[in-house]
Amino acid sequence: MPSVKAALSKPFAKYIARRIKKWASKPIETQERVFQNLISEAKYTVFGKDHNFNEIRTYEDFISRVPIRDYEELKPYVERVVAGEKDILWKGKPIYFAKTSGTTSGSKYIPITKESMPTHVEAARNSILMYINETGNSKFVDGKMIFLQGSPILEEKNGIKLGRLSGIVAHYVPKYLQKNRMPSLKTNCIEDWETKVDAIVDETINKDMTIISGIPSWVQMYFEKLIEKTDKKVGDIFANFNLFIFGGVNYEPYRAKFENLIGRKVDSIELYPASEGFFAFQDKQDEKGMLLQLSSGIFYEFVEADHFFEERPKRITIKDVKLGVNYVMIISTTAGLWSYNIGDTVEFTSLNPYRVIVSGRIKHFISAFGEHVIGKEVEQALKEATQNTSIAVNEFTVAPQINPKEGLPYHEWFIEFEKEPKNEIEFVQKLEQSLQSQNSYYLDLIKGKVLTPLKITKIKKDGFKNYMKSIGKLGGQNKIPRLSNDRKIADNMYELQLTK
C-alpha cells in the first residue's frame, strides 16, 4: 500500500508536467521573455552601465555590446563581487559563491543569487516529478535516497557563504524528504572521499535504498565497496533500488559495468547541472537527450564549435540551431553571468521540444593534427566496441602520441578494464572503425598516413582513482577528461601505475 506521500506525488507530478509543457511548447517566446527580464533587471548594475543595457532592445543590440567571455575575462567584475561590492553583475549581492577549481587561476567563484538559487532546486525536483508522471512509479519516495555529493560545510567571504555547489544544494532538500535522505550530516561533512564512502557504506548497507544519485565514477566506488563488504550484488543488497540519477559525465561507458554491479537493469535520469546553472534534465525515458531549461532565468546562445576560435564567430539563439551540430553553449543568467562560456559543447537531439546531449568540452578535444576529435565520438566508439560483449570498462581517457619512439603518431587510449577483451585486436579495430566513420578528418589523416591507428595502454585497477587522488580531485563533482590535446594526464598516468 503506497503512503500518502507517494500517492500525493502523482497529482503534483501531473501539475508540474503541465507547467513544463506550457513553456516548452512556446520556446522562442519563453527565451525572449527571459532575455528581456535579464536586461531590465541588470540595467543599473555596474556591468549593465558599462555595456549600455539601457540601449538594448534586441538580441542584435546585445551581441554588439556584450562579447563572449570566459571566467578569466569576467574575473575583474567577479573580484569586485567577492570583495563585497553590490550591484556589480546582478542587483544586490549573491547569497552564495559556488567555489570550483580553475584551470589557470586557482579557485573560481561562481555567484549564486536569490533569483538563481531556486532554479537549481526546482530543476532537480522536476526531473523526478517528470519521471513519476511518465512511469507512474512513485513507490521509491517512501524509501531511502542517497546523494553522493560534496561537503555541505560552507565558509564565508565578506558576508557571502561559499562552498561546492552540491554542498550548497544539500541545504535545500525539502523537509518531506529529510527523513529519507542519506547519508547523515556528520558523514556528509567528511572531507576525505575514501573515508566518506566507507562511512556511507556502513550507514546505508542495512537501509531500504530506493534512489541512488551521483557522478557514475564515484557511485561505482560506492557500489564496489558494498559488494566487497557483503559479497552480494547491489540489487540484492537493496531490493527496492530502482532509480539511478546521474550527471556530470556520459553514463554509456559505465552502463555495462553498472548493470553487472547491480545485477539487473534500473531506470535512470540524466541531469545537466553546473555551478553556473541547472541547464537540462532527461524528461522522457525513451527519448535521447535532456530537456533544455528555457524558463529558468537562463538565456542561451550557441556558437558552432568548429568556428568558435575565429575572431568573430557567429552567435545564434535556439531559434536557429540545427540537429546534430556541435555547439559551444553560451549563457546569460540571473546570477549575473553575461554571454558566459561555460566550456561545454552540446548537440541538439530534438527541436520540439529542445533537447540536448553534452558532446564534450571545447578545451577537451584532440586536434594535434587537425582531426577535431571530440568527447562524444570517443564515447560512441567505446560503446560500439563493447556492445554485445563481456568487455567492461571502469574508466578511460585519450591523448595524442605525437613523438612515438618508432612509426607514425597515433591516438593513445588509456583504459582501465574491469573485464578485458578476449580479442584485443578485434576490439581495437572496432574502436578505430567507429572513430573513422564518425570523423572524416580523422579518417583522412589515417588514409593519408599522417596518423597510424589508435593504440591501447592498459591501466592497473584503481589507476585513475589514484591519479585523481594525486592531484587532489578524488570524489565529489570531479571527473577525468575524456580527451586531452596534450600529454599532461598521459604522462602522469605513466608515472603512477601502468601495466606495460
Side-chain angles (χ1 to χ4, degrees):
M1 185 79 178
S3 69
V4 172
K5 187 162 60 177
L8 288 176
S9 67
K10 290 185 178 181
F12 185 46
K14 195 171 184 178
Y15 165 72
I16 291 297
R18 278 200 305 267
R19 285 185 58 184
I20 289 172
K21 187 177 180 181
K22 190 174 179 181
W23 61 251
S25 64
K26 295 181 178 178
I28 311 301
E29 296 95 319
T30 299
Q31 274 288 276
E32 177 63 22
R33 191 165 57 246
V34 169
F35 173 73
Q36 294 296 346
N37 179 65
L38 287 170
I39 299 302
S40 173
E41 291 293 310
K43 196 180 292 184
Y44 301 111
T45 62
V46 170
F47 189 94
K49 290 173 183 174
D50 286 351
H51 296 80
N52 300 314
F53 274 23
N54 62 325
E55 296 175 8
I56 294 176
R57 302 288 181 271
T58 65
Y59 176 53
E60 288 68 29
D61 294 339
F62 182 73
I63 288 176
S64 69
R65 288 165 175 78
V66 184
I68 293 172
R69 288 178 169 94
D70 59 16
Y71 185 82
E72 292 305 309
E73 292 162 315
L74 198 67
K75 196 174 177 182
Y77 289 100
V78 176
E79 285 180 333
R80 292 180 64 177
V81 182
V82 173
E85 291 187 55
K86 63 179 183 178
D87 301 326
I88 303 299
L89 287 164
W90 190 252
K91 56 189 182 181
K93 292 183 182 182
I95 53 174
Y96 298 104
F97 288 117
K99 191 177 179 182
T100 66
S101 299
T103 52
T104 57
S105 61
S107 296
K108 295 197 294 185
Y109 295 90
I110 306 298
I112 298 175
T113 63
K114 67 179 183 357
E115 289 84 5
S116 70
M117 187 66 227
T119 64
H120 287 271
V121 180
E122 285 171 14
R125 179 202 69 185
N126 290 353
S127 67
I128 297 174
L129 291 170
M130 289 292 277
Y131 171 80
I132 291 173
N133 187 62
E134 181 189 9
T135 65
N137 173 24
S138 64
K139 287 191 293 185
F140 60 81
V141 304
D142 295 324
K144 297 291 185 182
M145 307 173 186
I146 188 167
F147 300 92
L148 291 177
Q149 57 194 189
S151 170
I153 296 174
L154 304 178
E155 303 168 50
E156 199 165 292
K157 201 170 184 75
N158 295 318
I160 300 171
K161 292 179 179 178
L162 67 97
R164 298 174 188 146
L165 175 67
S166 59
I168 292 168
V169 172
H171 292 270
Y172 286 83
V173 175
K175 284 184 180 178
Y176 63 86
L177 289 180
Q178 290 287 5
K179 288 182 181 178
N180 302 60
R181 176 188 168 200
M182 302 287 287
S184 65
L185 180 63
K186 182 181 176 184
T187 295
N188 222 7
C189 291
I190 297 172
E191 283 293 340
D192 180 75
W193 188 252
E194 289 175 293
T195 306
K196 182 173 185 169
V197 174
D198 285 334
I200 291 172
V201 168
D202 291 338
E203 274 193 10
T204 59
I205 204 163
N206 295 313
K207 302 293 184 183
D208 180 24
M209 305 302 302
T210 56
I211 294 181
I212 295 172
S213 174
I215 288 177
S217 50
W218 307 125
V219 174
Q220 180 178 310
M221 186 193 295
Y222 167 59
F223 283 175
E224 287 171 341
K225 286 179 178 286
L226 281 167
I227 292 168
E228 192 180 310
K229 195 152 189 172
T230 63
D231 204 26
K232 292 180 182 177
K233 298 281 188 183
V234 173
D236 294 327
I237 301 168
F238 305 134
N240 295 313
F241 166 45
N242 56 20
L243 184 59
F244 174 50
I245 302 175
F246 68 94
V249 297
N250 184 358
Y251 182 41
E252 288 309 317
Y254 300 94
R255 189 178 292 278
K257 175 70 188 293
F258 265 61
E259 288 176 0
N260 181 51
L261 292 170
I262 297 166
R264 54 184 164 83
K265 291 185 178 182
V266 298
D267 286 348
S268 60
I269 301 174
E270 183 174 8
L271 310 179
Y272 184 10
S275 300
E276 297 87 352
F278 201 123
F279 305 124
F281 63 76
Q282 184 180 350
D283 64 317
K284 293 282 186 184
Q285 285 292 296
D286 58 353
E287 292 283 349
K288 186 181 181 185
M290 297 171 282
L291 185 70
L292 194 62
Q293 297 300 287
L294 302 176
S295 186
S296 294
I298 302 168
F299 178 70
Y300 299 93
E301 300 175 78
F302 302 92
V303 177
E304 286 191 31
D306 286 347
H307 300 289
F308 184 72
F309 294 106
E310 294 174 1
E311 191 174 336
R312 290 184 179 274
K314 185 179 180 184
R315 295 156 65 175
I316 59 174
T317 65
I318 56 164
K319 179 169 66 74
D320 296 312
V321 297
K322 296 174 183 174
L323 294 174
V325 177
N326 197 34
Y327 292 108
V328 179
M329 192 166 81
I330 309 298
I331 59 164
S332 297
T333 77
T334 51
L337 301 175
W338 299 102
S339 287
Y340 184 82
N341 172 21
I342 61 170
D344 287 346
T345 58
V346 300
E347 284 186 17
F348 284 86
T349 59
S350 165
L351 302 182
N352 183 25
Y354 285 90
R355 293 193 184 98
V356 296
I357 57 168
V358 180
S359 52
R361 299 278 293 167
I362 192 62
K363 291 182 180 177
H364 293 169
F365 58 87
I366 298 180
S367 200
F369 304 90
E371 58 270 47
H372 306 295
V373 172
I374 62 173
K376 180 198 164 201
E377 292 167 348
V378 295
E379 287 176 336
Q380 180 64 24
L382 188 66
K383 180 183 176 182
E384 290 178 16
T386 56
Q387 221 158 25
N388 303 317
T389 72
S390 62
I391 301 167
V393 171
N394 285 340
E395 194 58 272
F396 79 102
T397 192
V398 187
Q401 177 50 273
I402 298 169
N403 299 305
K405 288 179 181 175
E406 55 183 51
L408 295 171
Y410 55 87
H411 286 187
E412 186 171 10
W413 287 57
F414 295 82
I415 304 179
E416 183 182 321
F417 289 103
E418 175 70 19
K419 286 187 180 176
E420 293 190 17
K422 292 173 183 173
N423 186 331
E424 192 173 309
I425 294 172
E426 184 184 335
F427 175 69
V428 170
Q429 286 172 343
K430 284 183 180 177
L431 282 176
E432 185 66 31
Q433 188 177 3
S434 177
L435 268 181
Q436 290 182 19
S437 67
Q438 292 182 78
N439 189 311
S440 58
Y441 300 107
Y442 180 74
L443 173 62
D444 289 343
L445 289 166
I446 296 288
K447 280 185 172 179
K449 297 194 174 356
V450 175
L451 293 177
T452 196
L454 67 90
K455 295 183 182 179
I456 289 175
T457 297
K458 295 176 191 172
I459 302 298
K460 288 180 183 176
K461 183 172 169 55
D462 295 332
F464 282 96
K465 186 180 88 172
N466 292 335
Y467 165 70
M468 294 297 276
K469 192 174 183 179
S470 75
I471 61 170
K473 291 192 174 184
L474 185 66
Q477 292 170 280
N478 300 308
K479 44 203 179 275
I480 286 273
R482 287 285 174 246
L483 295 160
S484 306
N485 204 37
D486 56 35
R487 298 284 299 175
K488 186 178 177 184
I489 294 175
D491 291 343
N492 279 333
M493 295 301 294
Y494 272 113
E495 284 175 29
L496 278 168
Q497 53 175 48
L498 277 175
T499 302
K500 301 228 177 178

